[in-house]
Amino acid sequence: MRDSNLLEMVQAHIAKCGCDLGLDDNVLEILCSSARELAVSLPVRMDNGKLKVFQGFRVQYSDALGPTKGGVRFHPDQNLESVRALAALMAWKCALHDLPLGGAKGGVICNPKELSKGELERLSRAYIRGIRDIIGPHKDIPAPDVSTNSQVMTWMMDEYSKIMGENVFGSVTGKPLFLGGSAGREEATALGGWFVVREAAKEIGLELNEAKIAVQGYGNVGYHSAKLAPGFGCKIIAVSDSKGGIISEVGLDPEAVRKHKSKNGSVVGFPGTKTISNEDLLELDVDILIPAALEGAITDNNAGRIKAKVVAEFANGPTTPEADDIFGKEGRHVLPDILCNAGGVIVSYFEMVQNFDMWQWDESDVRKLLDKRMVKAYGTVMSASREYKVTMRQAAYIVAFKRLVETMKARGWV
Ligand code: NAD
């Protein structure tokens, strides 16, 4: 999918829901533009002694509800438009889940697979130096996303702390536990998604015991969704990464697949499995399909052939608007990204609260609080879907926009 399509998709949703809610033009104009965008050039000394300049971005889409929050993505296909679209999704997500946070996103154009550990560290630090003026625990708090992890977050926090001359653990989230991270953050996006899937299964009468699952993408979100599946009674039969997919009707051992991937660079070739393409994986006869890779995986080319009863969007923007229309006509139960994958930002919010208090909560408390929030959000979106007679995605946007508009009106912005 072209990156600009993600932005077009976000804009199309704004227009559609604006219409459903009868929003006036002033409100729509604010919702259609990002509040602040910063593009930075990042000179990094490479291992061969030469200097390479990378391009980075930080977009703060809306701070109506509070300091902005969103991940940083290191990827070769990044650009300002895709970061803007992802920042908008963060703003809707935080509003939908009633968090006192606005939405932001960051990105650096790079191929992390080609960087040494030292180069990755210097790039992470250079990015923070580039955006230092617009971030901070009360302004904008970066977090992990595609190809960034707790180590990258630690370098970023350390660099920000050096600039400020004091430890500012709350400057990023997704840190390791021993540096002010929250218990349960690594698995939070996937676990939050599973809580929503559990609610959806109850709603549509789908038996989760032995339900067959296919997961696209085997990074942070994909791996944890596979690992958590047995806890919800489900069986992972297929997974994939950027190099291809694997299937085993008897079920996969997620931990063994992860070990195979870290040793061999891909899930492909895992003993006892058949190799399939990424396209095949999406069209398998499974109960639940979990896209957990990148945007634009499900298009009008393949949506009609998808057999899963539930499509749970653990990734951001995996379904194009055209594919969404097909799902809408079929009445397929789609759990939209801003509803389904908010576990990461919710536990990041918990991490912020713990950092402000200089305290750490038990994992069981984190899980309980996350569960409660995901159940509430699913129920709210389901009710809006019935009330407005719209799909779950439109309903999620409606709930988010209502909250944002109410806040902007109260603040005298519109
Ligand atoms: P990651 O970098 O850890 O993993 C991405 C995975 O996708 C990798 O396994 C990669 O090989 C795979 N992939 C890339 N292209 C693919 C393709 N064409 N087909 C199949 N697999 C492919 O990233 P992540 O943090 O797991 O994020 C995955 C998705 O979840 C993204 O859309 C991200 O924005 C979203 N998300 C992440 C978080 C989080 O907390 N990490 C939170 C909310 C949403």
Side-chain angles (χ1 to χ4, degrees):
M1 181 190 197
R2 284 181 300 116
D3 287 326
S4 57
N5 280 358
L6 185 61
L7 188 61
E8 283 164 19
M9 176 176 107
V10 168
Q11 286 163 343
H13 286 311
I14 299 174
K16 211 176 202 178
C17 296
C19 203
D20 291 338
L21 285 173
L23 296 178
D24 72 49
D25 290 349
N26 296 327
V27 171
L28 278 175
E29 221 172 322
I30 294 193
L31 291 177
C32 280
S33 18
S34 62
R36 188 177 292 110
E37 301 187 344
L38 181 63
V40 285
S41 295
L42 310 169
V44 173
R45 184 75 58 197
M46 306 303 279
D47 289 350
N48 62 8
K50 289 195 178 144
L51 205 73
K52 187 168 173 185
V53 180
F54 294 86
Q55 297 304 311
F57 311 100
R58 186 75 186 167
V59 176
Q60 297 168 348
Y61 200 90
S62 165
D63 61 358
L65 292 168
T68 50
K69 186 97 194 71
V72 182
R73 193 177 268 206
F74 285 179
H75 198 271
D77 297 337
Q78 222 48 64
N79 61 37
L80 185 55
E81 284 200 332
S82 62
V83 176
R84 189 186 299 142
L86 291 162
L89 289 178
M90 284 305 297
W92 319 150
K93 202 180 293 182
C94 291
L96 168 62
H97 290 268
D98 228 352
L99 298 173
L101 297 170
K105 202 80 179 189
V108 177
I109 306 172
C110 66
N111 186 350
K113 288 179 188 156
E114 290 171 359
L115 298 175
S116 70
K117 192 176 176 197
E119 289 167 341
L120 191 63
E121 173 175 356
R122 294 192 287 282
L123 178 62
S124 306
R125 291 183 184 275
Y127 178 68
I128 287 301
R129 287 197 299 279
I131 63 165
R132 54 188 266 181
D133 289 337
I134 64 163
I135 59 167
H138 297 284
K139 287 191 206 169
D140 179 14
I141 309 96
D145 194 72
V146 172
S147 294
T148 53
N149 56 19
S150 61
Q151 175 61 80
V152 170
M153 291 303 125
T154 303
W155 290 323
M156 290 184 174
M157 180 277 290
D158 187 67
E159 191 65 21
Y160 188 79
S161 296
K162 280 184 179 151
I163 293 166
M164 300 310 285
E166 60 185 16
N167 276 319
V168 194
F169 285 5
S171 53
V172 304
T173 58
K175 303 177 294 286
L177 261 183
F178 56 89
L179 276 171
S182 176
R185 174 59 185 89
E186 290 257 324
E187 61 169 25
T189 304
L191 182 61
W194 271 110
F195 289 144
V196 172
V197 168
R198 182 196 62 203
E199 295 310 297
K202 278 187 227 160
E203 176 67 36
I204 65 168
L206 172 70
E207 177 55 65
L208 279 188
N209 204 23
E210 290 292 297
K212 288 185 190 175
I213 318 289
V215 181
Q216 185 205 33
Y218 214 65
N220 174 294
V221 179
Y223 157 66
H224 281 107
S225 38
K227 194 175 157 201
L228 290 163
F232 290 83
C234 302
K235 185 164 79 169
I236 296 289
I237 64 152
V239 299
S240 69
D241 58 32
S242 57
K243 299 200 173 112
I246 52 172
I247 183 167
S248 161
E249 285 294 340
V250 291
L252 295 163
D253 172 353
E255 195 52 43
V257 174
R258 188 192 65 79
K259 282 190 186 138
H260 176 87
K261 181 173 161 66
S262 48
K263 196 168 157 215
N264 303 286
S266 172
V267 297
V268 175
F270 182 69
T273 61
K274 193 178 129 202
T275 302
I276 53 170
S277 69
N278 256 303
E279 293 72 41
D280 295 338
L281 177 128
L282 296 170
E283 297 170 20
L284 289 174
D285 190 6
V286 289
D287 297 293
I288 300 164
L289 173 65
I290 301 182
L294 296 176
E295 50 271 17
I298 303 172
T299 67
D300 49 350
N301 284 329
N302 57 6
R305 290 192 300 274
I306 283 175
K307 299 174 194 72
K309 297 175 190 77
V310 174
V311 176
E313 295 184 345
F314 284 27
N316 281 309
T319 310
T320 66
E322 297 78 21
D324 212 32
D325 286 345
I326 296 173
F327 285 158
K329 279 181 201 137
E330 289 172 344
R332 197 178 300 272
H333 204 53
V334 177
L335 303 171
D337 47 8
I338 63 169
L339 168 65
C340 204
N341 71 23
V345 70
I346 292 173
V347 175
S348 274
Y349 162 62
F350 295 164
E351 186 173 330
M352 287 174 67
V353 174
Q354 293 169 77
N355 289 162
F356 283 131
D357 280 354
M358 295 192 80
W359 194 249
Q360 250 167 356
W361 305 347
D362 289 339
E363 187 165 351
S364 58
D365 293 335
V366 172
R367 275 184 165 234
K368 244 183 266 160
L369 288 169
L370 176 63
D371 196 346
K372 206 169 150 191
R373 280 187 173 266
M374 299 309 288
V375 170
K376 191 171 169 211
Y378 180 84
T380 309
V381 173
M382 196 67 224
S383 305
S385 161
R386 288 204 184 97
E387 184 186 338
Y388 289 88
K389 300 188 175 42
V390 293
T391 64
M392 290 292 277
R393 188 185 315 280
Q394 282 166 275
Y397 270 67
I398 287 172
V399 175
F401 282 8
K402 270 187 162 181
R403 285 195 182 133
L404 268 170
V405 172
E406 196 182 352
T407 309
M408 292 196 299
K409 283 196 171 147
R411 292 182 73 158
W413 291 8
V414 283

